Amino acid sequence: MDKKCMKVLKKLYLHANGKYDSERQVMAYQTDTLTADEQEVLHTNGWVPNDLERIDHDQIIQQLIDLQQSKHLSWTTITNAFVAGVGGSYPRGITTLGSYHMMIHMQHHAYEEAEQFHCCKYCGLSRNSNDSWDNLSFIRYAVHLGHDYSSTSLGAYADLTELVSLLEHESIIPSEEDILTFNQLLHSLDRAESDESPGKYEKRLTAEKLIKGQAGIRRGILKSLSRVGVLPNQILPLRPDHWTNIEELLNAELVLSNTKGRSDMEMPWAGWQGKLGVDWDKARQLFGSMILQHS
C-alpha cells in the first residue's frame, strides 16, 4: 500500500474518528470526515472503511480450511512477504507467517473452551469474540502498519482473506536490502549471550536499530519466527509442519517467570533464551536461498 493511502487510513482510524455502534457493540469509523479526494484514494485502492462482520467460530474455521485450496498462498509467497516485512518494504507481510501456519493446519473443530482460559483450546478465538461483531477493516489496517494479528483464528482470517485478494493483482518480492536485514536479524539472535532473555534481546534489538518501526512491530516479528520454531523455546518443540493447540501455548506461559503479571510477553517468544539461538535447519527449510551464507 502506498504512502498516500496509508496517510488517509491513519486519519480514518484515529480513535477520535470512531463512533460506537451500540446495537452491534463495535467501533465504526466516520468517512464523512475525509475529503472527497481522500475518499477517492480509498476507493481506488479498493479499501472498505468498515467491514463489520458478525464473528462465528465455525464459519471462520471453514473459511480458513477453504483457503487451503488457494493457488495464491504457499510457503514461498508467505516467506517472501514476511522477509519483505522484516526488511521494511512491505510491513503488511509480518503477520502472514503465523497466519499461514495456522491456516494450513486448520481442521474442523467445535468451539471447546480451554480449561484455564476463556478461548477455544484449538484456535484461540476468545469467548467474547464468538457471536459478536468486529470491524475487520481496523484489524487489516493494523496489519498494514506491521502489527502481528496471527495468534488467533480471527486475526488469521482477517489477514489471509485480504492477502489472497492482494496477491491476485501483485507479487511480493523482497528486495536485496530486505533479505540482508532478515539475515542480520537472525545472526543478531544467534550471537545472544546464553542467559539473554526475550526482554533483554528486545532492548538490544532496539539499540541496534536494525528493524524499522515500533517495539510492537519488532516483537511481532520475533513471535512469528518463534511460532514456526525458527526461534526455539525451552518448553514446547514447535515446527512449520506441525500444529500446537493454543491452549498448550497458554499453559506453557504459566510456568515462565517473564509472563507473570504481564499480558504482553507471550509464548512461544517468551520461552526463548539466548542459549537456544536460531534453529538454522528450520530457517533454511522455510526461507531457502534467502538464508545467506554468513562470513
Side-chain angles (χ1 to χ4, degrees):
M1 183 172 293
D2 60 37
K3 293 180 179 179
K4 187 176 182 180
C5 188
M6 282 304 302
K7 185 177 180 180
V8 177
L9 292 182
K10 288 179 180 179
K11 179 179 178 180
L12 174 65
Y13 293 114
L14 281 173
H15 181 72
N17 194 47
K19 187 174 182 180
Y20 188 67
D21 183 328
S22 57
E23 181 179 350
R24 289 179 284 194
Q25 298 184 320
V26 66
M27 189 72 78
Y29 294 85
Q30 303 174 86
T31 56
D32 57 6
T33 58
L34 303 178
T35 67
D37 286 345
E38 289 170 337
Q39 293 189 43
E40 179 60 26
V41 168
L42 297 187
H43 177 73
T44 301
N45 282 270
W47 187 268
V48 178
N50 293 292
D51 185 3
L52 304 182
E53 185 169 326
R54 194 179 192 101
I55 305 305
D56 178 87
H57 174 274
D58 293 351
Q59 288 184 13
I60 287 177
I61 300 312
Q62 184 60 59
Q63 289 270 12
L64 290 173
I65 291 172
D66 290 346
L67 283 169
Q68 293 170 358
Q69 305 304 315
S70 172
K71 64 181 181 181
H72 299 292
L73 297 177
S74 67
W75 276 119
T76 298
T77 58
I78 293 301
T79 53
N80 278 344
F82 180 74
V83 171
V86 173
S89 70
Y90 192 69
R92 197 227 176 280
I94 290 171
T95 201
T96 60
L97 192 64
S99 294
Y100 185 72
H101 180 241
M102 175 178 283
M103 182 272 284
I104 62 171
H105 294 295
M106 188 55 64
Q107 300 176 8
H108 286 291
H109 65 277
Y111 178 94
E112 184 178 347
E113 193 147 297
E115 187 173 335
Q116 301 186 66
F117 303 93
H118 298 315
C119 67
C120 177
K121 62 186 297 183
Y122 186 90
C123 71
L125 185 72
S126 74
R127 176 201 292 176
N128 292 335
S129 294
N130 195 29
D131 198 31
S132 67
W133 289 82
D134 211 324
N135 192 335
L136 300 189
S137 294
F138 182 82
I139 295 176
R140 290 169 180 145
Y141 162 64
V143 164
H144 276 276
L145 290 176
H147 295 288
D148 175 36
Y149 267 77
S150 64
S151 58
T152 72
S153 53
L154 173 58
Y157 165 68
D159 172 23
L160 295 178
T161 47
E162 184 199 37
L163 183 64
V164 166
S165 178
L166 295 174
L167 289 171
E168 290 176 354
H169 305 288
E170 63 177 332
S171 297
I172 305 161
I173 306 298
S175 67
E176 290 184 8
E177 184 178 350
D178 290 331
I179 294 171
L180 178 60
T181 299
F182 174 64
N183 280 268
Q184 289 173 331
L185 172 65
L186 294 182
H187 287 290
S188 170
L189 286 152
D190 206 42
R191 65 172 179 265
E193 297 290 335
S194 62
D195 61 347
E196 191 164 8
S197 67
K200 287 182 179 179
Y201 177 72
E202 288 179 7
K203 291 179 181 178
R204 176 159 67 87
L205 182 59
T206 299
E208 290 176 356
K209 298 181 180 179
L210 182 62
I211 305 296
K212 301 172 185 177
Q214 304 169 348
I217 292 174
R218 291 189 287 275
R219 178 172 289 178
I221 292 169
L222 299 168
K223 286 168 60 179
S224 295
L225 289 169
S226 302
R227 217 169 278 135
V228 294
V230 172
L231 299 182
N233 70 85
Q234 56 189 300
I235 300 176
L236 294 171
L238 304 178
R239 60 181 197 266
D241 58 355
H242 175 75
W243 177 250
T244 299
N245 287 353
I246 300 299
E247 182 178 35
E248 293 182 60
L249 294 174
L250 294 172
N251 285 339
E253 291 179 8
L254 300 177
V255 302
L256 292 171
S257 60
N258 60 345
T259 58
K260 297 293 189 295
R262 55 186 298 178
S263 59
D264 60 331
M265 186 60 75
E266 303 171 341
M267 271 287 288
W269 167 236
W272 179 83
Q273 287 182 323
K275 65 183 179 182
L276 299 173
V278 172
D279 186 326
W280 289 103
D281 288 338
K282 290 188 178 69
R284 293 185 185 94
Q285 174 189 345
L286 282 177
F287 298 99
S289 61
M290 287 190 286
I291 302 296
L292 304 178
Q293 186 172 357
H294 188 56
S295 58

